[in-house]
Amino acid sequence: MKVKDLSEKFKVINMADGEREIEDVFCCDLLSIAMGKAPAGSAWVTVMANVNTLAVASLTDVACVILAENARLDDMTVSKAKEQEITVFATEEPIFKAALSIYNNV
C-alpha cells in the first residue's frame, strides 16, 4: 500500500511523498516509546498532535502520521509538517480502528 492510498480513507493534512510504501502499522501515544520503537516506513497512528510528534516522525522515518480521534495540529505545526515534508492524515476513528483499516491492506 502506498501513502497516497490513505487519502481515500483519511483527511489529508499534508501530503509529502504519496508514492512511499507503507510497510507496517505502529500505534503509540508516548513519544519516547515511539522514538525508540516506531519502524521506519510505518504508518504511525496516534492522538499526539503537536510539533514533537513531527520531530519523532522525522527521527524514526515513518511513512506517515495518522492523527486519530479528532486530534488536530495547529497552523504552526501544519506549516512545520510541510516544511519537513512529513505526511499527516486525520480521522475521527479510534486508534485501533484506524490502524486496523491500514493493517488489513499492508
Side-chain angles (χ1 to χ4, degrees):
M1 165 183 265
K2 293 184 187 278
V3 168
K4 69 180 178 183
D5 298 330
L6 295 181
S7 65
E8 298 171 15
K9 174 97 176 124
F10 305 120
K11 179 181 177 190
V12 177
I13 304 301
N14 184 58
M15 180 71 73
D17 182 3
E19 293 300 317
R20 186 160 182 199
E21 287 289 332
I22 296 173
E23 301 170 17
D24 201 355
V25 182
F26 180 74
C27 300
C28 186
D29 291 328
L30 194 56
L31 297 177
S32 59
I33 291 175
M35 194 174 352
K37 297 192 179 227
S42 65
W44 175 22
V45 187
T46 184
V47 296
M48 297 301 296
N50 60 51
V51 72
N52 294 330
T53 303
L54 299 181
V56 172
S58 179
L59 285 170
T60 58
D61 193 32
V62 295
C64 61
V65 176
I66 297 95
L67 300 174
E69 301 188 30
N70 278 327
R72 300 188 184 201
L73 297 178
D74 61 33
D75 292 339
M76 181 201 73
T77 309
V78 171
S79 294
K80 196 72 161 168
K82 290 176 183 178
E83 176 185 313
Q84 294 182 350
E85 298 183 348
I86 298 171
T87 299
V88 181
F89 296 98
T91 183
E92 295 177 1
E93 293 179 348
I95 292 171
F96 177 78
K97 189 172 181 181
L100 187 61
S101 69
I102 301 165
Y103 179 80
N104 285 333
N105 293 298
V106 173

